[in-house]
Amino acid sequence: MIPIGIPIGLAVLIPFLGACGVVATRKSPLVRNCVLVISGLVNLFLLVYLLLVYLPPTYLPVPRENYATVQVLFETLPGLRVAFHIEPLGLIFALTAGLLWPITSVYSIGYLKAGNDPHQTRFHALFCVAIGCAMGIAFAENLFTLFLFYEILTLSTWPLVTHSRTPEAMAAGRVYLGVLLTTSLILFLLAIVLVGSYGSGLSFIPGGVLSNVSPTLATVLLLLFLFGIGKAAVMPFHRWLPNAMVAPVPVSALLHAVAVVKAGVFSILKISVYIFGFDSLSSLRLNDIMLQDIILWIPAITILLASVIAMRQDDIKARLAYSTISQLSYIVLGALMANQMGMIGGAIHITMHAFGKITLFFCAGAIIVFSGKNKVSEMNGLGRSMPWTFVAFFIAALSIAGLPPAGGVWSKWYLALATLETGQLGLLAVLMISSLLNVYYLLSIPLRAFFLPADGPQQALENRASMVVPLMLTAAVSVLLFFIADGLASFIGEIQS
Amino acid sequence: MTDILSRHLPILQVVVALLIAPFCVVLGSRNLARILMVSTAVIMFAISVMLLVGVFNGEVYSYQLGGWAAPWGIEYRVDYLTAFVLFTINLIHLLASIFCLGRTDDNIGRAARPVFYTAWLLCIAGLNGMVVTNDAFNVFVFLEISSLSTYVLISCGRDPKAILAAYRYLIVGAVGATFILLSIGLLYMQTGTLNISDLSRIIAERGSDRTIIMALSFFIIGIGIKCAIFPLHDWLPNAYSFAPNSVTVLLSGTATKVALYVMLRFLHDLFGANFSFTEMPLDIVLILCAILGMLLAPIVALRESNLKRMFAWSSVAQISYIVMGIGIGTTAGTAAALLHLFNHSIIKVAIFMAVGIVIARTGTARIKLLGGVAQRHRFACYAMLFGGLGLIGIPGTVGFVSKWVLVTAAVEKGWWWLAIPVLAGSLASAAYIWRIVETLWTKPIATDDAMDGGGSAPLDAKAEGGSADIAGSKKSPGAIFRERSEFDRTRIKDDTRKYLPAAVDLEHTPTTGGTPIHIVEWLPLMVLTGLALWFGLNASFTSDLALRAAASLINPEPMNLSQ
């Protein structure tokens, strides 16, 4: 057996070490920034190594069965252990976060410098901790480990949300913590306790651990998980996400478009595949009523409502926040449909949406920093002052709306196929309508910037490479994903559920 | 030699402190008294560890006091449960004794120190005696010893109202002790014996009658007061918040815990689980009290303006978790109660140490005036935060472990709905903990404006007096100012912060100012935080111990622990 527990453990540990490094080198901003970016790159290198190890057997000198894929760190109580393992869903999530982390680091260094922020060290250190938690969630081998990192993630991002310490930020921080702690400490934890008591263990096992649980209890558990994982922002527990937009833009970008919210939907996806299993998920019923069909409408309604609300937002970050809520529920929907297509669609939508949305947030941050405007209605003609930014915005908007040649089209394609498989045409209609709304509220922004006449004088505004390069890079990856989505899909498709 | 020593361990556990206590006064030297106190604490801790090891090796200690055989003479008895509780309280006592040497209680003058140490040692001797004895009347005797010395300790608080608080506790505590005495009297009347094992046997043989029911009722009210079970908790917030900082530290980790132990011992051993929980509806009563306590006490804590008193209320809430475990009554439930007894001891003691350090350095316990203190007293504030996370029950902390065990025990018994108040209670704790976090970390440092709200002195007078629960005479502002400067010479140094502009950027101002924390203060705090961290991540030792202790109580014959 070749242990790959050490690289997994390191992948989780390195962001935390990075945080320590950042704090230790706080006296010299240059060294600190180098530590930050280097730990991001080292982490990415490790993740790529893990991917290579885990690729299908044809690529490997040694068959996968020869790798010990579970690494137990320690046992808190009998049956309650902190352990990591490696499987395709987690690897995809970890790679997405790990790839975006160094890019975001560069961007946030530029952003904070532009704003002359006095608390940069605190910001960067907590940022590293949050990424470390995301890695822990990605590689969690059981519900306890996942919950451990989930809660640390909530707490460590609170100082980031309240970074500016203004009364509005503190109020938003209270909503943020209130919603996330309420849902997780009451609903999520209760669900975990019930799984531990009635199911066959807390470990993530293909096919699930709830095979001998009554359908009624399984339904209760599903609802507890669905609403208890508040980070997935399923309505009505979505309020924290728009509130969290008072945070600096890089926080909104990486945490509230990638790490935190994706940790939520990833947890739901993982629980539906490895705790419930498709069989018990599709056999939820109460006296002949197929409950799964009804539960599917919870994310479906969130998709539509959030899109409608996003249309009505003039503040660009608020619009993106509601767009995120809507897109997250695509993934939740994919997870709950309990079929192969839905799982694939949900999983690759994590990546597609991450790259698209982070680009949009980078662009929003660039617009706010360079032009000082944050209202969509004020952005007329801004495209000629900031061409790169708005081109990137355009590409990312295509990806989110699910139009070629950007990656988002594939995840929506798989999700649409999955709705057909469940036989619910209503859900297909929801996906279509929501895509139309996406086109309306996202693509209108670059169009407005390029084609409407400007209000004021025109000048080149994009004068900070550390902010412009990252956003072009992520937009480029969005296009690249269009071409490699097939590989991702077949990678996920290996999971036998 | 070792054999004789080992046989006498149970009595030594109590007698060492009892014997040394008077010497603290007689010698009349503060330094000698200090050395005596700490070395006693070390010896007592060593004895408790030896007892624990002995019990682990399968020994059950039974010591006949004065050589009089068990039902007639007083018997000291040490099994798993006893050894577990002894280990807990002597660990806490050792750390609290070290902490007590620091500068958190400067107001206790040189002359008063030896008396203070004497009372301290008598208190812990009494608590140890309550645990170790197997004689019902002896429990009462030791209860009185520890209670009386506790009143002395509390009255040493720096606020003049501490004397009032001590007096109130004396009245309530005396009522509680009287109830327990009445109960023991009734039991003696019916059975003619005072030995707990003997009582248990006779009650089981004769069955219950009205007198025994009365005895149980008197006992549960009396011990309920001592444990501060929810509706009988009234004395605790006052006593904790007015006592000297180190006394709060000692009491929060030992006094209520020992009372809870006595309750467990009496309910299961003396009255018998069948009588207490099946014939009498005590499980329902205890669980109801626990639910009320864990939901209501955090709400009061949230509205509290005094830091120490807020954490005192949190103790009321946390005791409810232990009471719930006792109420569940199964081995798993009792193990959960014992586990939380230990876990709560270490985190709450750490929190009160940190609070003591902060209060001593800033000169105020009023939450409003503690804005931004974390910039100055980082270590203490982070320790407080870590303890607070434990109170909430964030995974990875000891609080999570005990709540997990408790909820699992409830689900195992089929009472899964108990999970809801437990989880809601931990959420409620999150509210008051986060209020403190916001104040300590993000609020601007208190400025002249904040201090001048009605004049700094009356504000502080109110601060020290909590929410004016105890009627005390108002002092003139000048007197309070003089008093404060006497108490805290360091405060003058610290007060430079008052003259900083409000929006000053603290990341770039030196944060090393203020009195450095003395080693005797940070060392115990560090040890406790380390223990909390370790047992939060790897609870196999504590949970195994708690399970064995619970099994030894409920199922006295050795059981298979692998299940």
Side-chain angles (χ1 to χ4, degrees):
Chain A
M1 295 288 262
I2 303 166
I4 56 169
I6 290 165
I8 300 180
L10 276 180
V12 178
L13 195 64
I14 280 178
F16 290 105
L17 292 179
C20 299
V22 163
V23 173
T25 56
R26 63 185 178 279
K27 294 276 181 325
S28 150
L30 186 67
V31 180
R32 180 194 65 199
N33 295 346
C34 288
V35 169
L36 186 65
V37 176
I38 288 171
S39 46
L41 292 176
V42 172
N43 193 48
L44 183 58
F45 170 78
L46 267 168
L47 293 173
V48 171
Y49 169 77
L50 283 172
L51 178 70
L52 289 180
V53 164
Y54 198 76
L55 271 180
T58 45
Y59 297 88
L60 283 178
V62 194
R64 187 185 305 167
E65 288 69 38
N66 290 8
Y67 290 94
T69 52
V70 176
Q71 172 77 10
V72 180
L73 277 192
F74 43 77
E75 195 151 10
T76 302
L77 284 174
L80 211 60
R81 59 186 193 178
V82 177
F84 298 118
H85 75 160
I86 183 167
E87 46 80 45
L89 289 177
L91 207 48
I92 292 273
F93 174 48
L95 267 172
T96 307
L99 189 56
L100 287 173
W101 181 30
I103 301 177
T104 314
S105 300
V106 173
Y107 181 87
S108 54
I109 289 166
Y111 181 89
L112 293 182
K113 252 191 206 153
N116 237 342
D117 195 289
H119 300 291
Q120 299 189 15
T121 304
R122 185 179 77 202
F123 180 93
H124 290 308
L126 286 165
F127 212 97
C128 294
V129 172
I131 295 294
C133 294
M135 295 295 153
I137 291 171
F139 291 118
E141 189 265 344
N142 53 47
L143 275 173
F144 172 64
T145 313
L146 191 143
F147 188 62
L148 171 70
F149 285 104
Y150 182 96
E151 289 293 28
I152 303 174
L153 183 57
T154 307
L155 297 178
S156 66
T157 44
W158 176 79
L160 291 174
V161 171
T162 59
H163 186 74
S164 65
R165 302 282 200 253
T166 55
E168 304 85 62
M170 297 310 294
R174 265 175 235 134
V175 174
Y176 181 79
L177 211 60
V179 173
L180 290 184
L181 279 186
T182 307
T183 51
S184 66
L185 279 180
I186 293 188
L187 306 176
F188 193 10
L189 184 54
L190 182 61
I192 296 175
V193 171
L194 291 177
V195 169
S197 303
Y198 294 111
S200 47
L202 292 173
S203 292
F204 293 120
I205 294 166
V209 295
L210 297 178
S211 45
N212 44 12
V213 163
S214 73
T216 320
L217 180 60
T219 312
V220 171
L221 282 176
L222 182 63
L223 289 174
L224 284 176
F225 278 124
L226 185 60
F227 292 120
I229 300 177
K231 291 197 168 90
V234 174
M235 284 182 180
F237 294 111
H238 66 285
R239 281 299 309 239
W240 63 272
L241 187 53
N243 268 287
M245 291 300 144
V246 295
V249 172
V251 175
S252 309
L254 187 60
L255 300 181
H256 300 122
V258 182
V260 173
V261 290
K262 293 293 153 57
V265 287
F266 169 76
S267 305
I268 289 187
L269 196 58
K270 194 147 178 173
I271 285 165
S272 73
V273 175
Y274 292 107
I275 292 291
F276 285 90
F278 292 161
D279 288 341
S280 52
L281 206 54
S282 49
S283 62
L284 300 180
R285 60 164 59 83
L286 190 75
N287 305 332
D288 297 337
I289 309 168
M290 289 302 288
L291 283 173
Q292 193 212 1
D293 296 348
I294 300 167
I295 291 172
L296 281 179
W297 281 94
I298 296 170
I301 289 169
T302 307
I303 292 176
L304 273 186
L305 275 182
S307 285
V308 171
I309 298 172
M311 266 166 53
R312 298 159 53 85
Q313 302 293 324
D314 195 27
D315 185 286
I316 186 164
K317 282 180 81 179
R319 186 178 285 198
L320 294 180
Y322 276 102
S323 157
T324 305
I325 295 173
S326 164
Q327 299 292 321
L328 290 175
S329 277
Y330 275 77
I331 303 168
V332 176
L333 184 65
L336 296 186
M337 280 191 289
N339 54 41
Q340 196 79 359
M341 288 298 162
M343 180 186 71
I344 295 173
I348 61 176
H349 199 56
I350 288 182
T351 308
M352 304 301 176
H353 175 251
F355 279 93
K357 194 46 72 61
I358 204 167
T359 313
L360 293 181
F361 271 109
F362 282 168
C363 293
I367 295 167
I368 292 168
V369 167
F370 293 140
S371 73
K373 294 174 179 172
N374 62 357
K375 294 253 187 295
V376 173
S377 53
E378 294 170 355
M379 289 178 190
N380 294 354
L382 208 54
R384 271 151 280 175
S385 316
M386 312 176 64
W388 293 109
T389 307
F390 278 98
V391 168
F393 198 108
F394 180 74
I395 294 170
L398 285 182
S399 183
I400 300 286
L403 296 174
V409 63
W410 292 117
S411 48
K412 296 208 170 172
W413 172 257
Y414 280 108
L415 287 172
L417 288 181
T419 56
L420 288 179
E421 206 169 304
T422 58
Q424 292 221 50
L425 290 181
L427 292 175
L428 186 62
V430 166
L431 294 184
M432 296 296 145
I433 294 169
S434 168
S435 277
L436 276 179
L437 295 177
N438 288 338
V439 171
Y440 174 76
Y441 66 75
L442 284 179
L443 280 179
S444 65
I445 297 172
L447 295 183
R448 191 190 273 273
F450 281 120
F451 297 113
L452 288 182
D455 307 329
Q458 309 249 327
Q459 58 196 21
L461 291 169
E462 293 164 320
N463 54 7
R464 201 174 270 272
S466 58
M467 291 177 71
V468 179
V469 172
L471 62 90
M472 284 156 53
L473 206 60
T474 50
V477 177
S478 281
V479 177
L480 180 70
L481 282 171
F482 178 76
F483 299 100
I484 62 167
D486 193 39
L488 279 179
S490 58
F491 183 51
I492 304 284
E494 282 178 37
I495 301 171
Q496 304 295 323
S497 190
Chain B
M1 175 63 203
T2 28
D3 190 44
I4 293 175
L5 184 70
S6 140
R7 266 197 302 123
H8 286 78
L9 281 178
I11 184 75
L12 285 175
Q13 182 78 78
V14 183
V15 144
V16 168
L18 272 183
L19 286 181
I20 292 183
F23 283 99
C24 291
V25 182
V26 173
L27 290 175
S29 150
R30 191 175 62 134
N31 284 334
L32 263 176
R34 276 181 165 179
I35 294 167
L36 272 181
M37 186 190 65
V38 175
S39 43
T40 314
V42 172
I43 294 169
M44 289 172 75
F45 178 63
I47 294 173
S48 74
V49 171
M50 282 155 78
L51 282 172
L52 190 63
V53 172
V55 167
F56 253 105
N57 291 337
E59 208 159 334
V60 172
Y61 294 88
S62 170
Y63 184 85
Q64 319 288 335
L65 211 64
W68 298 91
W72 297 282
I74 295 171
E75 184 198 12
Y76 282 8
R77 202 179 162 77
V78 178
D79 58 6
Y80 263 118
L81 176 62
T82 319
F84 175 72
V85 177
L86 284 177
F87 174 73
T88 311
I89 62 172
N90 285 301
L91 173 71
I92 299 297
H93 172 231
L94 174 61
L95 296 172
S97 307
I98 298 172
F99 182 78
C100 164
L101 305 178
R103 305 194 46 196
T104 45
D105 291 310
D106 273 356
N107 64 307
I108 305 169
R110 261 169 185 280
R113 277 276 165 173
V115 183
F116 178 77
Y117 293 144
T118 306
W120 178 285
L121 284 178
L122 284 176
C123 174
I124 195 68
L127 293 173
N128 272 298
M130 283 163 77
V131 179
V132 91
T133 185
N134 194 31
D135 183 282
F137 187 74
N138 209 227
V139 168
F140 171 74
V141 171
F142 280 121
L143 177 80
E144 281 298 287
I145 292 177
S146 74
S147 302
L148 289 173
S149 41
T150 307
Y151 308 140
V152 176
L153 289 176
I154 291 176
S155 66
C156 290
R158 77 198 236 177
D159 193 278
K161 286 172 206 140
I163 295 168
L164 259 167
Y167 184 68
R168 268 180 67 153
Y169 180 31
L170 187 146
I171 302 285
V172 179
V175 170
T178 311
F179 271 59
I180 294 173
L181 184 62
L182 276 173
S183 161
I184 294 170
L186 288 173
L187 286 171
Y188 186 61
M189 203 173 85
Q190 278 312 82
T191 61
T193 181
L194 286 168
N195 184 284
I196 291 180
S197 315
D198 213 30
L199 273 166
S200 160
R201 186 178 53 79
I202 294 174
I203 290 176
E205 274 171 16
R206 293 164 45 124
S208 62
D209 54 27
R210 207 163 285 204
T211 316
I212 306 284
I213 293 175
M214 279 310 289
L216 179 64
S217 323
F218 274 125
F219 170 74
I220 208 75
I221 301 281
I223 203 72
I225 291 176
K226 285 289 168 189
C227 301
I229 291 176
F230 175 64
L232 307 169
H233 63 278
D234 187 55
W235 59 273
L236 187 140
N238 276 326
Y240 277 21
S241 51
F242 289 105
N245 292 318
S246 46
V247 173
T248 313
V249 165
L250 179 72
L251 292 183
S252 69
T254 54
T256 48
K257 304 302 184 307
V258 167
L260 283 161
Y261 161 84
V262 171
M263 185 163 99
L264 256 180
R265 184 59 92 189
F266 270 50
L267 290 187
H268 281 279
D269 255 10
L270 197 155
F271 291 104
N274 189 36
F275 173 59
S276 322
F277 293 125
T278 318
E279 280 184 50
M280 305 302 294
L282 214 51
D283 47 353
I284 305 296
V285 173
L286 287 179
I287 285 177
L288 211 64
C289 292
I291 291 176
L292 285 175
M294 66 179 67
L295 294 180
L296 295 181
I299 296 175
V300 184
L302 188 58
R303 300 168 54 83
E304 198 50 69
S305 61
N306 179 303
L307 187 63
K308 227 170 149 186
R309 185 185 279 262
M310 191 202 82
F311 280 117
W313 276 105
S314 129
S315 280
V316 175
Q318 296 290 321
I319 287 166
S320 301
Y321 292 93
I322 305 175
V323 172
M324 181 180 272
I326 297 175
I328 290 172
T330 57
T331 310
T334 311
L338 291 171
L339 188 60
H340 197 53
L341 187 144
F342 179 80
N343 287 345
H344 176 241
S345 284
I346 56 176
I347 47 180
K348 190 48 74 61
V349 166
I351 285 179
F352 274 123
M353 281 181 182
V355 167
I357 290 172
V358 167
I359 291 178
R361 297 303 187 283
T362 58
T364 177
R366 194 170 164 78
I367 294 172
K368 240 187 198 163
L369 300 182
L370 289 173
V373 162
Q375 317 278 3
R376 227 149 237 290
H377 306 292
R378 269 199 191 155
F379 174 60
C381 287
Y382 275 110
M384 212 191 294
L385 170 65
F386 183 72
L389 294 181
L391 294 180
I392 302 173
I394 296 294
T397 62
V398 283
F400 178 81
V401 173
S402 35
K403 273 169 203 177
W404 175 274
V405 175
L406 181 62
V407 172
T408 316
V411 174
E412 221 169 71
K413 208 186 174 185
W415 294 350
W416 62 266
W417 43 270
L418 280 182
I420 294 163
V422 170
L423 299 177
S426 61
L427 185 70
S429 342
Y432 66 76
I433 295 296
W434 222 258
R435 171 165 163 250
I436 295 300
V437 170
E438 269 193 18
T439 308
L440 294 184
W441 268 270
T442 70
K443 288 269 165 63
I445 282 180
T447 55
D448 278 338
D449 292 346
M451 292 292 207
D452 285 345
S456 76
L459 246 181
D460 247 37
K462 209 181 155 211
E464 310 292 342
S467 47
D469 213 319
I470 290 183
S473 56
K474 273 232 154 55
K475 286 180 154 190
S476 74
I480 285 176
F481 179 71
R482 273 198 303 281
E483 207 173 76
R484 267 176 47 199
S485 38
E486 273 167 25
F487 288 156
D488 254 292
R489 269 155 257 120
T490 59
R491 178 71 199 275
I492 305 298
K493 243 188 273 170
D494 267 17
D495 259 7
T496 43
R497 69 190 174 87
K498 278 204 296 182
Y499 306 111
L500 292 173
V504 72
D505 176 14
L506 277 150
E507 192 159 280
H508 300 301
T509 50
T511 50
T512 45
T515 327
I517 303 179
H518 201 266
I519 179 167
V520 296
E521 285 161 352
W522 66 252
L523 187 72
L525 184 50
M526 196 93 130
V527 169
L528 281 169
T529 310
L531 281 179
L533 192 64
W534 174 252
F535 289 134
L537 292 175
N538 187 346
S540 46
F541 174 68
T542 46
S543 67
D544 179 57
L545 205 55
L547 196 62
R548 281 165 188 261
S552 78
L553 178 71
I554 290 172
N555 214 353
E557 65 266 22
M559 62 177 278
N560 188 3
L561 287 162
S562 62
Q563 289 302 309

